[in-house]
Amino acid sequence: MFGKKITKGANAVVTGAGSGIGRAFALEIVRRGGRVVCADISLERAQETVDLIMDMVAGKLKNPDLVFVPQAWAVKCDVSKLKDVEALALQAEELLGGSEANTAIDLVVNNAGVGAGGKPIGETTIDDWKWTIGVNLWGVIHGCHVFAPRLRQKGAAAKCGIINVASTASFAAAPLMSAYNVTKAGALALSETLAAEMAGTGVNVTALCPTFVKTNITKDGRIDAASNQFANKLMEWTGVSADGVVKETLNALDKGQLYVLPQLDARMIWRMKRLMPRSYTRGAGLLARVAAKAF
């Protein structure tokens, strides 16, 4: 908690950096003096984030004679594939570290994710299950599997961190979101386990569990029309900016905080689920049926 902050001047890797929360993480890391490898399944989107970062940094340079040093790089990566994540790690080490490649990375944000929902268990296709698990769960597993040993080997004196983007869905048990809920619950459990394993190593682990954040996750997901309409309305009414969520999460990582529930509704669901599990589950089911009739 004391001494150098992990997120100040960090050499970072962010997955799903081409939009939404991932893009906000990349921008904020650079604002804090860091450098970032922006990974995304869409190289074009990753490059858009890099261009935003370059423009932001260039705008701060007052002396036109200064040589601009790149602060960000775009890399294509499908996190559902282990080979892609292994290649990402090697490329990030080269970009960030040069001759010190094996100790170059300080911070990893496993953010890449997809939205899925709208059908009950038994009607959600197995293809949708596999697609959602591949990105949302295997993507985080691959990120931790590949990067955790690299951070651990730096020793307890080196402050490092891993942020896994989960969701309030990891514990909310919302109906018609089975595949998404399962993947986010897995990401949360993995984060808790990793935090225990990393105790005393100098590597902090933080799990981000927001409710609605204004991103394009519904646009790019596999969600039926009615549920997508409902989700977009909720995002419009209750969604918060990704920038604020990201700042809170990075600050929490610096403090060694495991859970980040950035919104009031997330914290209320967390408490209700634990204090009144039966009543909560019945209420969630009834609310979902009322919402379905409204849309």
Side-chain angles (χ1 to χ4, degrees):
M1 184 171 177
F2 301 98
K4 178 184 177 297
K5 293 182 178 180
I6 296 169
T7 66
K8 185 175 181 180
N11 286 331
V13 177
V14 179
T15 66
S19 63
I21 293 176
R23 176 171 287 178
F25 266 116
L27 286 162
E28 182 60 24
I29 287 165
V30 173
R31 288 191 190 101
R32 298 182 182 213
R35 301 184 299 159
V36 61
V37 174
C38 300
D40 199 276
I41 195 168
S42 167
L43 185 59
E44 181 180 358
R45 285 187 183 181
Q47 188 59 50
E48 287 174 0
T49 300
V50 169
D51 291 342
L52 287 172
I53 290 170
M54 295 299 197
D55 290 344
M56 178 181 72
V57 175
K60 294 181 179 180
L61 296 177
K62 304 299 183 182
N63 186 345
D65 296 326
L66 287 176
V67 177
F68 181 70
V69 178
Q71 302 293 308
W73 300 264
V75 175
K76 181 178 175 60
C77 178
D78 180 349
V79 298
S80 70
K81 299 177 180 178
L82 178 58
K83 288 184 178 179
D84 272 27
V85 180
E86 290 172 335
L88 170 63
L90 293 175
Q91 192 167 356
E93 287 170 343
E94 182 178 350
L95 291 168
L96 294 168
S99 62
E100 300 295 328
N102 64 332
T103 58
I105 301 165
D106 304 312
L107 172 61
V108 177
V109 182
N110 291 309
N111 162 76
V114 293
K119 295 180 180 179
I121 296 170
E123 294 182 20
T124 301
T125 68
I126 293 300
D127 182 60
D128 281 355
W129 271 97
K130 290 180 178 179
W131 177 72
T132 309
I133 291 171
V135 179
N136 289 1
L137 183 53
W138 275 112
V140 179
I141 293 170
H142 291 156
C144 292
H145 175 77
V146 170
F147 287 103
R150 286 170 160 83
L151 299 183
R152 188 188 293 114
Q153 74 175 7
K154 296 180 73 168
K159 298 294 289 180
C160 304
I162 294 177
I163 295 172
N164 291 330
V165 177
S167 169
T168 300
S170 63
F171 51 85
L176 307 183
M177 293 177 59
S178 54
Y180 189 79
N181 293 345
V182 166
T183 60
K184 292 303 183 177
L188 181 59
L190 178 61
S191 302
E192 293 169 333
T193 305
L194 184 62
E197 292 179 354
M198 288 295 192
T201 67
V203 181
N204 288 357
V205 178
T206 293
L208 170 58
C209 299
T211 50
F212 283 95
V213 180
K214 293 180 178 179
T215 69
N216 62 0
I217 191 168
T218 57
K219 178 182 177 182
D220 294 339
R222 297 186 183 182
I223 307 171
D224 75 358
S227 296
N228 196 54
Q229 183 183 4
F230 181 53
N232 284 330
K233 283 293 184 183
L234 284 176
M235 191 176 297
E236 179 184 341
W237 294 334
T238 68
V240 299
S241 164
D243 294 339
V245 169
V246 160
K247 289 176 184 177
E248 182 175 346
T249 305
L250 291 171
N251 291 341
L253 180 74
D254 285 332
K255 297 173 184 176
Q257 185 176 327
L258 174 55
Y259 305 105
V260 175
L261 285 70
Q263 296 122 301
L264 177 61
D265 52 349
R267 296 189 289 274
M268 289 176 61
I269 292 169
W270 175 274
R271 294 186 180 98
M272 290 172 62
K273 177 75 179 296
R274 280 150 181 76
L275 293 173
M276 302 177 293
R278 184 179 179 185
S279 297
Y280 171 83
T281 302
R282 287 175 58 84
L286 291 171
L287 182 61
R289 286 191 283 277
V290 170
K293 291 180 181 179
F295 287 87

